[in-house]
């Protein structure tokens, strides 16, 4: 009992938790708590109810920089008894070096330096002030590289804590391609942290791990260390074997600490559970396992592994796949922004599958090649076709890996020659191809008028399913064709703006039931002229395109040719950059900014906020409107801009929570509508909560899916601004 209590006085998840046997008397409580942290070896959880606590009223952080690792650890040990800290995160010098390019305050520190990111949480300003004073009193006995300054500024503290979260993938991204990034977590009593840290650093040097990084939860005596390790030779495996055994003896032997503090035992530490706990405790854990799982079928080998060398067997390789994703360490930070996660393969899973295909291909034997081919075929639908390609995964990735770009490369590699020839034809004869699509849109509009929405949708859904998705799915939100483009009033504005209506908005106008009188191109032209601009269209506009659709299909060369054509036309129209350029489709503008240089390019919300609102008298409409930032707006950091414009023009603005990428992805909402449905599965409920009656965005195709799955019409933002504005008296 004494040993159990002592072992759990620090973080410890090595083996099964046996603390319930000394903490509880009721058998139900013992059983429930035995399952916690059992890693699926005793049972699985089918449903969880979470109790949440209140957020603190005052939250402050400080980045403390010390000249030595030893003093940083000792300072945390001295601050802990004050109770002032809610967190203290340590970084050794190598960890700092992985992120210092974004944190100039870390530059120039000595090789043995240590940093500690600390946080206080308080219920009042007075309590926060007392905690700052208590910490300052402790730190007065230590020499810091820079003064300790607490701040509650979310911009700065958010940057600090994002740095902390990104250490693991940032370090992993520096590894040699083909090496595996390994992370372990150990714990000892806080007063012994300084000793442990210095000995770990010495151990890493002794075993040849000169780039090993130490960081972690100093307030809990919990260190993570990261190793970049190759496993492609017997010598490399033996090096890892020797080092792991040395770590076990140091942490579990000399310090009596935890070999696993919080991340679960896993196969890497399973052979050492008995070494840490001893025979008596280990027998108790085995008895528990046998009672729950007498046949040993639940997650075998994870906590209890009879192979003493299991940690150096079945090692997972990270073979080269493509330069876009080779740095990925499969940390999963991307998945929070992956719209397909939970529906098909996530961004991380796409990389994992492609690595397995590469591994099998590299083996070269007939069986492996057959398996690789089978896996490649199975990958096509969930991995290749059901990727929205929006690139939002890169926003969650500390290494900025864009799995969408990787999927575009796969589509290029696997593109049938027939599809390639059709794509090149459409690029050369865009007006003709667009007229063909327009004819189909007209046919659909006729069917809608004759059959009505319900019957027309049922017929089209049957055709879509019967053709296995080859026939695109029509929905009642489908816009009708634009019949006539506006004719700008030349020479009437005091300033000019080059307006490039995207090829989509040149063809797609209003849908049945949209609360507007004219298509977006007409509405935008009217708004610009109302604001005093002379609108200039580029020459041969119907043949121009940014190339996004070809890029998404896997034809980057064709896409770049179209972008180059567009760039030449816009330079001519803008008098070589004299006038700003507006594109009414945010995804198109995003690509234009990456392919066209030397021009001032704007998407709708951005142009309206910067150039239009100040030229008009705005009377906010007495209504609640919803807004949807497209993926391109999110990547450009323009979400505050969409709110600014909408709030200027409407009494109330709703940004529905838990709704990110709509996954319409150009035409994917027609060809793979289930992905769009999955992405917007929560939208209708969120809209109902807000009471919004109309929505606004800046991508016509996205607006189709948003309309279908929200129950309210979505249109371009120019409709709202034009409706809420009038020319300013005096023209200024």
């Amino acid at each position: 009992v004494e040993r159990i209590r002592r072992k759990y006085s620090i973080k410890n998840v090595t083996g099964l938790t046996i603390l319930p046997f000394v903490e509880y008397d009721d058998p139900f409580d013992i059983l429930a708590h035995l399952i916690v942290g059992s890693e699926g070896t005793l049972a699985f959880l089918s449903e969880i109810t979470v109790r949440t606590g209140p957020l603190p009223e005052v939250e402050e952080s400080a980045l403390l920089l010390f000249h030595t690792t030893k003093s940083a650890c000792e300072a945390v040990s001295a601050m802990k008894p004050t109770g002032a800290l809610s967190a203290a995160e340590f970084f050794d010098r190598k960890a700092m070096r992985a992120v210092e390019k974004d944190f100039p305050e870390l530059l120039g520190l000595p090789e043995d330096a240590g940093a500690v990111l600390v946080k206080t949480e308080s219920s009042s300003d007075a309590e926060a002030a007392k905690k700052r004073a208590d910490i300052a009193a402790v730190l007065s006995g230590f020499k810091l590289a820079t003064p300790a300054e607490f701040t509650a500024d979310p911009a700065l503290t958010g940057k600090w804590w994002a740095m902390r979260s990104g250490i693991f993938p940032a370090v992993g991204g520096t590894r040699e391609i083909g090496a595996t990034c390994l992370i372990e977590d150990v714990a000892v009593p806080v007063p012994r942290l300084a000793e442990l840290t210095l000995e770990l650093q010495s151990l890493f040097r002794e075993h040849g791990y000169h780039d090993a990084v130490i960081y972690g939860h100093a307030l809990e005596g919990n260190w993570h260390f990261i190793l970049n390790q190759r496993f492609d030779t017997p010598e490399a495996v033996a090096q890892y074997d020797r080092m792991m055994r040395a770590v076990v003896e140091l942490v579990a032997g000399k310090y009596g600490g935890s070999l696993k503090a919080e991340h679960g035992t896993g196969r890497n530490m399973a052979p050492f559970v008995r070494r840490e706990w001893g025979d008596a405790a280990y027998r108790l854990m085995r008895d528990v396992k046998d009672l729950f799982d007498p046949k040993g079928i639940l997650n075998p080998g994870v906590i209890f592994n009879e192979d003493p060398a299991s940690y150096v067997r079945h090692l997972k390789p990270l073979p080269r796949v493509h330069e876009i994703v080779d740095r990925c360490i499969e940390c999963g930070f991307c998945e929070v922004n992956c719209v397909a996660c939970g529906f098909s393969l996530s961004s991380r899973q796409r990389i994992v599958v492609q690595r397995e295909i590469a591994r099998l291909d590299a083996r070269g034997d007939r069986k492996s090649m057959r398996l690789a081919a089978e896996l490649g075929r199975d990958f096509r639908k969930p991995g290749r076709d059901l990727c929205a390609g929006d690139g939002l995964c890169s926003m969650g990735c500390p290494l900025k890996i864009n799995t969408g770009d990787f999927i575009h490369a796969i589509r290029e590699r696997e593109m049938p020659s027939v599809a390639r020839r059709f794509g090149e034809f459409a690029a050369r004869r865009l007006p003709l191809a667009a007229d063909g699509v327009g004819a189909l849109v007209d046919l659909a509009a006729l069917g809608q008028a004759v059959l009505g929405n319900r019957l027309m949708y049922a017929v089209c859904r049957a055709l879509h399913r019967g053709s296995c998705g080859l026939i695109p799915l029509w929905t009642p939100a489908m816009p009708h064709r634009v019949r006539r483009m506006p004719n700008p009033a030349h020479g009437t504005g005091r300033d000019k703006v080059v307006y490039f209506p995207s090829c989509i908005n040149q063809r797609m106008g209003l849908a049945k039931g949209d609360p507007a009188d004219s298509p977006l191109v007409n509405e935008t032209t009217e708004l610009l002229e109302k604001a005093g601009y002379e609108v200039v269209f580029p020459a041969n506009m119907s043949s121009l395109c940014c190339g996004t659709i070809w890029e998404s299909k896997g034809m980057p060369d064709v896409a770049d040719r179209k972008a180059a054509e567009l760039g030449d036309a816009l330079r001519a129209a803008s008098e070589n950059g004299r006038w700003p350029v507006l594109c009414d489709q945010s995804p198109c503008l995003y690509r234009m900014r990456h392919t066209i240089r030397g021009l001032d390019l704007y998407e709708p919300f951005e142009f309206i906020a910067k150039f239009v609102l100040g030229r008009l008298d705005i009377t906010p409409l007495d209504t609640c409107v919803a807004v949807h930032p497209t993926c391109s707006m999110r990547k450009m950091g323009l979400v505050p801009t969409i709110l600014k414009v909408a709030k200027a023009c409407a009494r109330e603005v709703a940004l529905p929570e838990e709704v990110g990428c709509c996954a319409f992805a150009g035409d994917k909402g027609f060809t793979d509508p289930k992905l769009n449905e999955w992405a917007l599965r929560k939208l209708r409920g969120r809209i109902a909560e807000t009471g919004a009656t109309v929505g606004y965005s800046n991508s016509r195709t996205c607006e189709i899916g948003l309309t279908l799955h929200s129950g309210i019409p979505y249109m371009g933002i120019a409709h709202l601004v034009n409706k809420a504005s009038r020319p300013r008296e005096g023209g200024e």
Side-chain angles (χ1 to χ4, degrees), residues 472-487:
L473 177 65
W474 176 92
T475 73
M478 183 69 183
H480 296 176
R481 183 155 44 152
V482 173
R483 292 298 176 190
R484 184 168 54 87
M485 294 291 288
N487 184 21

Side-chain angles (χ1 to χ4, degrees), residues 328-335 338 345-353 403:
C328 173
I329 61 169
E330 303 173 13
C331 64
F333 283 27
C334 57
E335 290 181 326
C338 177
L345 295 181
S346 71
S347 45
R348 170 168 56 171
Q349 290 169 330
R350 291 185 171 97
I351 296 172
V352 170
V353 173
T403 310

Side-chain angles (χ1 to χ4, degrees), residues 123-281:
S123 59
S124 66
D125 290 336
E127 183 183 359
K130 183 180 185 307
K131 288 183 177 180
R132 287 196 303 271
D134 291 343
I135 293 169
V138 172
L139 292 178
S140 64
F142 293 86
K143 184 178 180 181
L144 276 70
T146 58
E149 296 182 0
F150 277 84
T151 178
D153 178 5
L156 183 54
T157 60
K159 187 179 179 183
W160 283 341
W161 288 100
M163 170 185 69
R164 163 60 184 87
S165 299
I167 286 288
F168 175 40
V171 172
T174 66
R175 79 192 193 286
E176 179 186 359
I177 300 302
T180 299
C181 185
L182 298 158
I183 184 170
E184 282 298 346
D185 59 309
V186 300
V188 297
V190 174
R192 306 203 69 184
L193 263 184
E195 302 171 63
L196 173 69
T197 309
L198 297 177
E199 290 204 54
L200 273 177
Q201 291 174 335
S202 176
L203 185 151
F204 294 148
R205 289 191 296 269
E206 176 187 345
H207 289 274
Y209 293 89
H210 300 290
D211 60 349
V213 165
I214 298 175
Y215 71 106
H217 318 298
L219 199 64
E220 307 298 331
N222 175 195
W223 273 177
H224 301 289
F225 60 85
I226 303 173
L227 309 173
N228 291 326
Q229 171 77 47
R230 297 192 72 93
F231 291 112
D232 52 357
T233 65
E235 292 77 15
V237 174
Q239 175 195 24
Y240 180 69
D241 184 7
R242 291 190 298 270
M243 195 279 303
M244 284 302 300
R245 291 184 179 278
V247 168
V248 169
E249 291 308 313
L250 178 67
V251 175
K254 180 174 181 178
Y255 288 96
S258 309
L259 293 172
K260 297 300 294 185
E262 60 181 4
H263 286 179
T265 305
R267 289 179 174 84
N268 203 39
M269 285 296 181
F272 305 111
V273 174
R274 186 194 298 268
R275 172 65 184 90
E276 176 177 332
W277 275 99
D279 291 338

Side-chain angles (χ1 to χ4, degrees), residues 336-397:
V336 68
N337 290 325
C338 177
V339 68
C341 186
F343 176 73
S344 62
L345 295 181
S346 71
S347 45
R348 170 168 56 171
Q349 290 169 330
R350 291 185 171 97
I351 296 172
V352 170
V353 173
Q354 287 298 311
R355 280 176 168 167
E356 177 63 5
I357 293 173
R359 184 188 72 84
L360 291 168
D361 276 336
R363 293 178 64 175
D365 60 273
R366 183 175 298 178
K367 180 180 179 181
S368 296
M369 298 290 283
R370 187 178 70 251
L371 288 172
E374 182 180 344
L375 193 54
R377 289 192 296 269
D378 291 345
F379 178 82
R380 287 171 188 164
K381 186 64 177 183
R384 183 191 66 184
D385 297 344
L386 289 178
C387 174
D390 54 47
L392 287 183
C393 49
S394 65
M395 295 184 67
C397 173

Side-chain angles (χ1 to χ4, degrees), residues 300-593:
V302 170
I303 291 181
F304 305 102
N305 199 313
E306 299 307 319
D307 180 0
S310 65
Y311 62 102
V312 289
R313 300 193 201 280
H314 310 295
L315 297 167
K316 180 180 180 180
L318 296 180
R320 289 180 181 269
V321 171
H322 194 284
E323 60 182 8
I324 294 176
V325 298
D326 280 342
R327 292 186 303 148
C328 173
I329 61 169
E330 303 173 13
C331 64
F333 283 27
C334 57
E335 290 181 326
V336 68
N337 290 325
C338 177
V339 68
C341 186
F343 176 73
S344 62
L345 295 181
S346 71
S347 45
R348 170 168 56 171
Q349 290 169 330
R350 291 185 171 97
I351 296 172
V352 170
V353 173
Q354 287 298 311
R355 280 176 168 167
E356 177 63 5
I357 293 173
R359 184 188 72 84
L360 291 168
D361 276 336
R363 293 178 64 175
D365 60 273
R366 183 175 298 178
K367 180 180 179 181
S368 296
M369 298 290 283
R370 187 178 70 251
L371 288 172
E374 182 180 344
L375 193 54
R377 289 192 296 269
D378 291 345
F379 178 82
R380 287 171 188 164
K381 186 64 177 183
R384 183 191 66 184
D385 297 344
L386 289 178
C387 174
D390 54 47
L392 287 183
C393 49
S394 65
M395 295 184 67
C397 173
L399 303 178
K400 305 305 177 189
I401 294 171
N402 190 326
T403 310
D405 287 346
F406 175 48
I407 297 301
H408 293 163
I410 292 176
R411 291 171 183 169
E412 179 183 15
R413 184 183 71 205
E414 299 180 352
M415 174 167 291
S417 58
V418 172
R420 171 79 191 189
R421 288 196 294 271
F422 177 78
E424 291 180 338
F425 170 80
R428 292 192 304 269
R429 299 286 187 269
L430 182 57
L432 180 61
D435 285 344
V437 174
L440 293 176
V441 172
D442 286 343
L443 181 62
L446 177 62
Q448 183 182 24
V450 173
L451 301 177
N453 284 348
R454 182 173 296 179
L455 182 56
M456 177 69 176
Y457 181 58
V459 170
C460 291
R461 184 173 55 185
L463 290 172
H464 175 74
R465 291 176 175 174
S467 67
C468 297
L470 293 177
I471 298 177
L473 177 65
W474 176 92
T475 73
M478 183 69 183
H480 296 176
R481 183 155 44 152
V482 173
R483 292 298 176 190
R484 184 168 54 87
M485 294 291 288
N487 184 21
H490 293 288
T492 61
R494 62 183 185 272
D495 291 311
K496 292 183 180 181
V497 57
V498 177
Y499 173 28
F500 169 56
S502 69
C503 54
I504 291 174
N505 284 319
Q506 291 180 46
R507 278 87 185 180
M508 287 187 175
L510 298 174
K512 183 179 180 180
D514 279 352
D517 299 323
S518 59
L520 179 65
V521 180
N522 305 64
E523 203 84 13
T524 301
T525 303
E526 181 180 324
L527 174 64
L528 294 171
E529 291 179 343
K530 184 192 296 185
Y533 282 99
E534 177 184 338
V535 178
V536 178
F537 286 148
N540 300 318
M541 190 168 64
S542 63
S543 298
L544 299 177
C545 179
C546 67
T548 296
I549 187 168
W550 285 276
E551 180 185 50
S552 68
K553 297 298 181 186
M555 291 180 275
D557 54 332
V558 179
D560 289 343
R561 286 205 304 270
K562 295 303 293 183
E565 292 174 9
L566 176 59
D568 291 342
L570 293 179
R571 286 189 186 89
S574 66
E575 300 177 29
N576 205 29
R578 180 181 179 187
W579 309 112
V581 176
L582 166 66
C583 175
D584 55 17
Q585 186 94 345
S586 181
C588 301
L589 186 280
Y590 180 78
R591 187 169 199 278
M592 289 162 62
R593 280 188 173 169

